[in-house]
Amino acid sequence: WQASPRTYFDFNTYLSSDRYNYDYTFDFATRLPNRRGENSIRFTELREWKNQAYSGRWQQQWNEIWQSELTLGYSNFELFEKGETTLVREQSNGNFKRSNRLNQRENEIGGYHLNWKHTVRTSADGLLTLGTRVLEEEVALQLSNDSLGLLANSAKAQQLGLY
C-alpha cells in the first residue's frame, strides 16, 4: 500500500495444511494341522502438516539520500506422523495371537525475524547500508516406537546481527 509518495507498507500471509490417512487390511490364510488358519495384517498411516507465515514491511524515503526499511516476519511448520502395523495370526489351538508395532514422530519449527536497515547515498556511485537483524528460532522433535519414547528434544536460539 502506497501511503504517500515516500511511504510504502505491505503485509503478506500464507497458510496451508494437509492430511493423509491410509488404512489397508490384507487377509490371508496359513496352513494349520488339518485346517486353514485365518490371518490378517493391517497397515495404518496418518500424516498431518501445517504451515503458516506472516510478514510486514515498511519503507520510508526520508529525503533524497536516506531511505529506511523495517521488515517483521513469523513462520511455523508442524508435522505429525503415526504409522501402525497390526498382525493377527490364528494359532493351532484356535486362539489368535496379535502383535502390534507403532511409530510416531512430531516436529515443529518456528521463529520470527526483524530487520531494520538504513541506506544512505554517499555519492552518485556510492551507497552506505547500516542495519540490524534479530532472529529467534525454536525446534521441537519427538520420536517414539511402540510406547517407548526414543527422542524428545527442543531447542531455542536467538541471533543478533549488525551490519
Side-chain angles (χ1 to χ4, degrees), residues 45-100:
E45 189 174 342
L46 172 64
R47 289 184 183 178
E48 297 175 328
W49 55 94
K50 300 175 187 174
N51 295 292
Q52 58 181 328
Y54 306 94
S55 68
R57 180 173 58 157
W58 167 47
Q59 287 181 311
Q60 182 68 47
Q61 182 78 41
W62 301 104
N63 55 42
E64 297 306 315
I65 63 168
W66 177 27
Q67 176 181 322
S68 297
E69 181 177 304
L70 174 67
T71 58
L72 301 167
Y74 169 81
S75 64
N76 189 59
F77 169 77
E78 296 176 37
L79 172 67
F80 173 79
E81 294 180 322
K82 179 180 174 181
E84 187 170 10
T85 303
T86 304
L87 175 63
V88 179
R89 294 187 65 112
E90 186 176 358
Q91 306 295 301
S92 59
N93 63 6
N95 292 332
F96 287 88
K97 183 177 180 182
R98 178 186 184 103
S99 68
N100 192 41

Side-chain angles (χ1 to χ4, degrees), residues 138-150:
E138 185 169 6
V139 177
L141 170 68
Q142 292 184 6
L143 297 175
S144 64
N145 185 347
D146 296 330
S147 61
L148 178 63
L150 299 177

Side-chain angles (χ1 to χ4, degrees), residues 1-162:
W1 171 58
Q2 189 80 39
S4 74
R6 294 180 176 254
T7 305
Y8 178 80
F9 294 98
D10 68 30
F11 179 74
N12 300 287
T13 185
Y14 174 79
L15 301 170
S16 71
S17 65
D18 210 344
R19 181 182 173 99
Y20 172 76
N21 196 356
Y22 176 77
D23 191 338
Y24 176 74
T25 301
F26 175 68
D27 295 321
F28 61 99
T30 55
R31 185 179 296 257
L32 295 173
N34 302 321
R35 64 186 178 87
R36 281 175 39 150
E38 299 298 322
N39 306 283
S40 70
I41 189 165
R42 180 179 180 197
F43 304 97
T44 61
E45 189 174 342
L46 172 64
R47 289 184 183 178
E48 297 175 328
W49 55 94
K50 300 175 187 174
N51 295 292
Q52 58 181 328
Y54 306 94
S55 68
R57 180 173 58 157
W58 167 47
Q59 287 181 311
Q60 182 68 47
Q61 182 78 41
W62 301 104
N63 55 42
E64 297 306 315
I65 63 168
W66 177 27
Q67 176 181 322
S68 297
E69 181 177 304
L70 174 67
T71 58
L72 301 167
Y74 169 81
S75 64
N76 189 59
F77 169 77
E78 296 176 37
L79 172 67
F80 173 79
E81 294 180 322
K82 179 180 174 181
E84 187 170 10
T85 303
T86 304
L87 175 63
V88 179
R89 294 187 65 112
E90 186 176 358
Q91 306 295 301
S92 59
N93 63 6
N95 292 332
F96 287 88
K97 183 177 180 182
R98 178 186 184 103
S99 68
N100 192 41
R101 294 292 172 255
L102 173 66
N103 293 302
Q104 190 167 307
R105 177 176 82 163
E106 295 180 60
N107 292 350
E108 184 172 357
I109 302 170
Y112 73 88
H113 75 271
L114 174 140
N115 192 53
W116 180 233
K117 83 173 178 181
H118 302 277
T119 304
V120 178
R121 180 164 300 285
T122 58
S123 66
D125 296 327
L127 291 176
L128 174 64
T129 301
L130 303 168
T132 186
R133 182 160 176 88
V134 178
L135 297 167
E136 180 174 287
E137 295 176 331
E138 185 169 6
V139 177
L141 170 68
Q142 292 184 6
L143 297 175
S144 64
N145 185 347
D146 296 330
S147 61
L148 178 63
L150 299 177
L151 179 65
N153 197 359
S154 67
K156 187 177 193 176
Q158 297 85 25
Q159 298 176 12
L160 172 65
L162 301 172

